[in-house]
Amino acid sequence: MEASEARKGMEEGVPGLAQEAVLVKSVSMPEGSKTVLGYDFESTDDDDDTGKDHATRVLESMLYTGFQATSFGQAAEEINRMISWRLSDEEPTGEEPADHLDPKFRAGCRCKVFLGYTSNLISSGVRESIKFLVKNKMVDVVVTTAGGIEEDLIKCLGKTYLGDFALKGAELRSKGLNRIGNLLVPNDNYCHFEDWIMPIFDAMLEEQKREGKLWTPSSVIDRLGKEIADEDSVCYWCHKNKIPMFCPALTDGSIGDMLYFHSYKNPGLVVDLVQDIREINTHAVKASPRKTGMIILGGGVCKHHVCNANLMRNGADYAVYVNTAQEFDGS
């Protein structure tokens, strides 16, 4: 019996409404529609004509895996577009300065990448990935929160340990332990941080009085990166590679506590926010002829600060957001 005849036999006696609802005929999929297909782990490097390794091909396969993996794959594609763009990809408009027409200049002019991230990424092992990016000059401007600065520095002074989300804060506090999610930070680490940072604040205040030095959050961070002198530190590599690191909420954490204590022990240190908002906005406004790209890991301050800076140039050319927010959050 042919399949069509078998189905016809099955349909006999089936209520018409149910039959119409279930056996709806499909339209043809648009030409070029992608098929859902995961990565074939049985393939070998020799099977691939592109010369790409397994890790690269796994990432590329995410695009066709479905669900959030497809969003991840789209993000990877967007970042690759940021990395690969050169001014030489664009036709001259005829309005450029003469030096911008030089083929060597155009081939070397790449996208200006703004990286924003929240402090929990530095508390966790993602810190090492971020360090790799700034050490190898793969981003141009960094924006983070106070914890993104201090946790990086504190990790140079003491270790962070794995714990458990269910550990009770009151019990930990009595033992001098602080919980960040399922991470544990001995309170001694923060004491070491105070011992380390207070003399630096004293020196900064002396420079302010003697030389009229104008301190901003980014210049404070640069100084701390210089002073820590530790190659495991994100702040250190931003200092060494002259990558500006902005933190508009610098006082929202242990650094704020230290500045508070310092204002009693040795008052007078001033940190100017206005100069920093001007500087980060200028990085975006004067990026031309470069395009700009935003990679924002998390939400809140770092996201808004990066987006607002690029708003000053009527938006970024590339953008990737990685966070747990919903559209109806309104942020």
Side-chain angles (χ1 to χ4, degrees), residues 277 280-282 284-286 306-316:
I277 190 66
I280 189 173
N281 287 357
T282 299
V285 170
K286 295 190 175 180
V306 172
C307 290
N308 192 70
N310 280 273
L311 175 65
M312 299 296 161
R313 65 185 303 276
N314 205 28

Side-chain angles (χ1 to χ4, degrees), residues 109-288:
C109 186
R110 61 182 182 82
C111 180
K112 188 168 193 173
V113 179
F114 290 72
L115 173 65
Y117 56 86
T118 47
S119 63
N120 54 337
L121 301 186
I122 293 295
S123 301
S124 73
V126 180
R127 175 191 185 225
E128 280 61 45
S129 299
I130 295 172
K131 181 195 73 176
F132 177 85
L133 295 178
V134 295
K135 179 179 180 179
N136 291 281
K137 303 179 182 179
M138 298 179 73
V139 297
D140 301 282
V141 179
V142 172
V143 179
T144 187
T145 54
I149 305 301
E150 62 201 30
E151 291 295 325
D152 174 65
L153 300 169
I154 289 169
K155 277 189 169 183
C156 297
L157 305 173
K159 296 184 183 299
T160 297
Y161 300 90
L162 279 174
D164 191 279
F165 287 104
L167 294 173
K168 296 185 180 300
E171 293 178 8
L172 292 173
R173 185 62 182 166
S174 67
K175 299 174 182 178
L177 297 174
N178 299 281
R179 183 171 67 83
I180 306 172
N182 65 341
L183 311 179
L184 295 177
V185 184
N187 206 58
D188 287 349
N189 292 12
Y190 294 96
C191 297
H192 297 325
F193 183 56
E194 180 179 6
D195 294 339
W196 175 79
I197 204 170
M198 284 301 187
I200 299 172
F201 285 164
D202 288 337
M204 289 167 53
L205 176 57
E206 182 59 30
E207 291 173 34
Q208 176 185 301
K209 291 177 177 178
R210 185 179 65 249
E211 304 167 11
K213 172 73 175 180
L214 178 64
W215 293 103
T216 64
S218 62
S219 65
V220 170
I221 296 163
D222 182 70
R223 178 61 169 269
L224 297 177
K226 176 184 178 182
E227 296 288 347
I228 199 68
D230 188 319
E231 293 192 358
D232 287 334
S233 166
V234 175
C235 295
Y236 167 78
W237 284 109
C238 282
H239 162 75
K240 187 174 179 64
N241 290 333
K242 295 180 170 56
I243 297 172
M245 197 171 192
F246 295 95
C247 181
L250 186 63
T251 57
D252 185 26
S254 184
I255 291 179
D257 298 341
M258 299 303 107
L259 287 168
Y260 170 71
F261 295 148
H262 190 266
S263 72
Y264 285 94
K265 295 178 179 179
N266 192 3
L269 183 63
V270 176
V271 181
D272 185 358
L273 281 172
V274 176
Q275 292 304 310
D276 255 12
I277 190 66
R278 177 169 175 149
E279 184 176 347
I280 189 173
N281 287 357
T282 299
H283 274 287
V285 170
K286 295 190 175 180
S288 182

